[in-house]
């Protein structure tokens, strides 16, 4: 039995057999197999070679233009390597002599050959190492690809274990079979974590080297409340966890009872609770969990898992479906926030050295106007179906916000000319998720109907901590006094300008921060649908005066640790089961 500590990102308990999946960089841990398994693994090596040869041969005949001739030559070299019997033998010998998996033998053998090439002084020869890595990846894709298919066609319950998961991969998991998720990389606000939370699948991330400790099929316990993963637990631990899991289910059941009651503090102050969604079919869940509308619809997820960009009609259908669930309650559609870890079109665009500081979000839209306008047209068309609001992400300065608004006006004029109906008074807002926008909030407030504070990015950019990097995850905190000061400024500026304000980052779904946010003056929160009942319970258990006291105490503290401990204690008194 081995206990690993990571970061809890999606609540709940999972006890299941592990299914290990890997991403494209193929970190293959050494895993021993039973001697009886060796024949199977050797056959897998042979099949991978055959499939890789077929794949490349097909490519050879497909490529007919002269420009492709060079690529064809390169692949001809790859094919020669793949036909080399001694290479195949070296790999299968390794499987046999050391009882290791096909993946491990392929990776080790090819990396060893590549390292010989790298050491050769001749530039031409040393560059051949890249070809060997390419061949390694092709073979591993064949080997792991089959496992990946397994994720799509699961027939039994599993706990997914991975080095790193992309939001796309996570969004494809079926809640029916995927009972839990654990990954080496990631942080609470990495998008894969956000998706896990939306799906209601217990998840722990930032486990650093978990993939090296788990073998496929090992039993694992994923404790998404405490941020713990237990590999090969003993029977006593399994028993305890089954009991704990039942108690947690009971809490959820109890919370379910209050979900249709209003989110009103004990002194009568009403708080609006909205849901964050990535897909239209989650709208129903928001309603079921007692949400009053959508405060953040992450529309970039429309771009995932599809070979081409969505059309205006694809956008429109998705928005119409969402609005139909809420009729005349707000649906806040955020324009696409592609880029950074939601870089879905890596094949089309060259990777950037610092993607979180690069061409992402509104910047990407402002440089891809056709795509941007297509989406804006669809949002405007859907605006006649209900209470649609439009929201621009990652604004960093006034010009950018004005440019986005100007393009929206252009699209409105186009629709006018075509006599297509839309809501001319549609509310237009921006996300405050960069320190520059927070500092300019009083000016920005003059031009927009509402702000939504995106704490996930605001924290990352204020503290210069990558939100998805487990190596710095302890530095990423909503309780940092610098972050709190910025949030306070934005709230005050929005109030002064009398515009609406909501918080839609993960801070709004974290029980510990609710009293603080209410005390700072927030009256609207948007969060992952499964978390709505728990947050409602906290709101219904406090008075705003209690929350003001919390803020007064905290404003006198300079240490993140002190603030965080204080908030945890205060919340524990209200909802001890959440801890
Ligand atoms: C945020 O940054 O807080 C936010 C809600 O946007 P996203 O998590 O999609 O970047
Ligand atoms: Mg953001």
């Amino acid at each position: 039995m081995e206990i690993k500590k990571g970061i809890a990102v999606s609540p709940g308990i999972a006890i299941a057999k592990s299914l290990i999946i890997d991403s494209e960089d193929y970190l293959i841990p050494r895993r021993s197999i039973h001697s009886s398994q060796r024949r199977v693994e050797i056959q897998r090596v042979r099949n991978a070679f055959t499939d890789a040869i077929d794949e490349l041969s097909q490519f050879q005949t497909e490529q007919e233009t002269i420009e492709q001739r060079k690529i064809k030559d390169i692949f001809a070299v790859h094919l020669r390597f793949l036909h080399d019997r001694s290479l195949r033998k070296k790999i299968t010998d390794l499987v046999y002599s050391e009882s290791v998996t096909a993946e491990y033998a392929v990776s080790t053998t090819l990396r060893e050959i590549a390292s010989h090439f790298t050491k050769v002084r001749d530039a031409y020869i040393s560059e051949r190492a890249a070809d060997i890595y390419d061949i390694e990846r092709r073979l591993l894709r064949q080997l792991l690809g089959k496992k990946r298919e397994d994720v799509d066609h699961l027939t039994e319950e599993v706990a997914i274990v991975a080095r790193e998961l992309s939001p796309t991969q996570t969004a494809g998991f079926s809640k029916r079979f995927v009972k839990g998720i654990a990954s080496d990389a990631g942080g609470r606000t990495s998008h894969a974590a956000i998706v896990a939370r939306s799906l209601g699948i217990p998840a722990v991330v930032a486990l650093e080297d978990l993939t090296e400790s788990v073998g496929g099929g090992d039993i694992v316990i994923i404790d998404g409340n405490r941020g713990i993963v237990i590999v090969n637990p003993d029977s006593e631990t399994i028993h305890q966890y089954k009991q704990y899991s039942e108690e947690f289910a009971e809490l959820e059941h109890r919370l379910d009872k209050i979900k249709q009651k209003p989110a009103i503090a004990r002194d009568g102050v009403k708080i609006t609770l909205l849901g964050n969604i990535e897909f239209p079919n989650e709208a129903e869940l928001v309603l079921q969990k007692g949400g009053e509308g959508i405060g953040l619809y992450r529309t970039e997820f429309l771009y995932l898992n599809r070979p081409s960009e969505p059309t205006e009609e694809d956008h429109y259908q998705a928005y119409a479906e969402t609005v139909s669930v809420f009729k005349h309650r707000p649906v806040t559609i955020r324009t696409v926030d592609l880029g950074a870890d939601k870089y879905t079109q890596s094949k089309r665009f060259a990777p950037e050295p610092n993607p979180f500081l690069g061409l992402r979000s509104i910047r990407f839209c402002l440089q891809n106007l056709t795509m941007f306008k297509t989406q804006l047209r669809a949002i405007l068309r859907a605006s006649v179906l209900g209470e649609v609001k439009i929201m621009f992400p990652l604004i960093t300065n006034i010009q950018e916000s004005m440019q986005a608004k100007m393009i929206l006006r252009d699209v409105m004029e186009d629709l006018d000319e075509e006599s297509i109906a839309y809501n001319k008074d549609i509310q237009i807002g921006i996300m405050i998720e960069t320190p520059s926008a927070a500092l300019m909030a009083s000016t920005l407030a003059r031009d927009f109907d509402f702000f939504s504070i995106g704490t996930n990015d605001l924290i990352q950019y204020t503290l210069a901590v990558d939100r998805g990097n487990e190596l710095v995850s302890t530095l990423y905190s909503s309780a940092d006094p610098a972050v709190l000061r910025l949030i306070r400024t934005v709230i005050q500026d929005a109030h002064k300008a009398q515009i609406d304000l909501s918080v839609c980052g993960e801070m709004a779904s974290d029980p510990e921060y609710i009293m603080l946010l209410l005390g700072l003056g927030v009256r609207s929160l948007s969060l992952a649908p499964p978390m709505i009942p728990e947050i409602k319970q906290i709101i219904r258990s406090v008075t705003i005066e209690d929350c003001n006291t919390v803020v007064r105490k905290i404003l006198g503290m300079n240490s993140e640790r002190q603030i965080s401990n204080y908030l945890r204690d205060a919340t524990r008194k209200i909802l001890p089961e959440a801890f």
Side-chain angles (χ1 to χ4, degrees), residues 191 194 296 298 334 342 431 433 454-457 467 505:
H191 284 102
I194 289 172
L296 168 65
R298 293 184 164 98
R334 174 175 79 179
K342 285 174 291 195
M431 289 190 70
E433 46 185 353
T455 52
N456 305 340
D457 278 315
R467 62 195 262 192

Side-chain angles (χ1 to χ4, degrees), residues 475-492:
L475 299 174
Y476 184 99
S477 171
S478 307
D480 192 286
V483 172
L484 299 183
R485 279 193 200 186
L486 277 182
I487 291 177
R488 188 161 168 249
T489 309
V490 177
I491 297 167
Q492 286 172 343

Side-chain angles (χ1 to χ4, degrees), residues 358-485:
L359 189 61
R360 73 170 283 212
S361 203
I362 194 72
R363 303 171 181 176
F364 182 80
C365 288
L366 294 176
Q367 288 194 25
N368 289 275
L369 286 185
T370 310
M371 184 195 90
F372 191 32
K373 285 185 168 182
T374 301
Q375 177 176 35
L376 294 176
R377 273 179 74 94
I379 300 176
L380 287 172
R381 280 175 54 206
S383 68
V384 293
L385 307 174
E387 204 199 320
V388 172
K389 300 182 184 193
I390 218 167
M391 177 159 81
F392 299 122
L394 207 82
I395 294 297
T396 48
N397 61 49
I398 310 291
Q399 295 89 290
E400 200 169 49
S401 71
M402 288 298 103
Q403 226 180 321
K405 242 180 136 173
M406 215 170 64
I407 290 158
L408 181 66
R409 298 275 169 237
D410 282 352
V411 176
M412 285 178 168
E413 277 172 23
D414 292 346
L415 293 180
D416 284 336
E417 274 169 27
E418 295 167 53
S419 306
I420 296 175
Y422 64 90
N423 175 10
K424 291 191 167 42
D425 297 320
I426 188 168
Q427 290 222 342
I428 309 167
I430 54 170
M431 289 190 70
I432 303 289
E433 46 185 353
T434 61
S436 57
L439 293 168
M440 295 302 287
S442 59
T443 312
L444 286 162
R446 290 185 208 138
D447 294 305
F448 290 93
D449 300 309
F450 65 93
F451 285 162
S452 187
I453 306 183
T455 52
N456 305 340
D457 278 315
L458 186 60
I459 296 168
Q460 132 164 296
Y461 293 124
T462 304
L463 303 179
V465 177
D466 180 343
R467 62 195 262 192
N469 182 344
E470 74 279 13
L471 302 178
V472 286
S473 59
T474 51
L475 299 174
Y476 184 99
S477 171
S478 307
D480 192 286
V483 172
L484 299 183
R485 279 193 200 186

Side-chain angles (χ1 to χ4, degrees), residues 263-266 271 273 514 535-542:
I264 294 182
R266 277 180 32 226
I271 309 297
L273 283 186
I514 301 308
I535 300 302
K536 190 176 279 185
Q537 169 75 347
I538 292 179
I539 293 168
R540 292 175 59 86
S541 313
V542 298

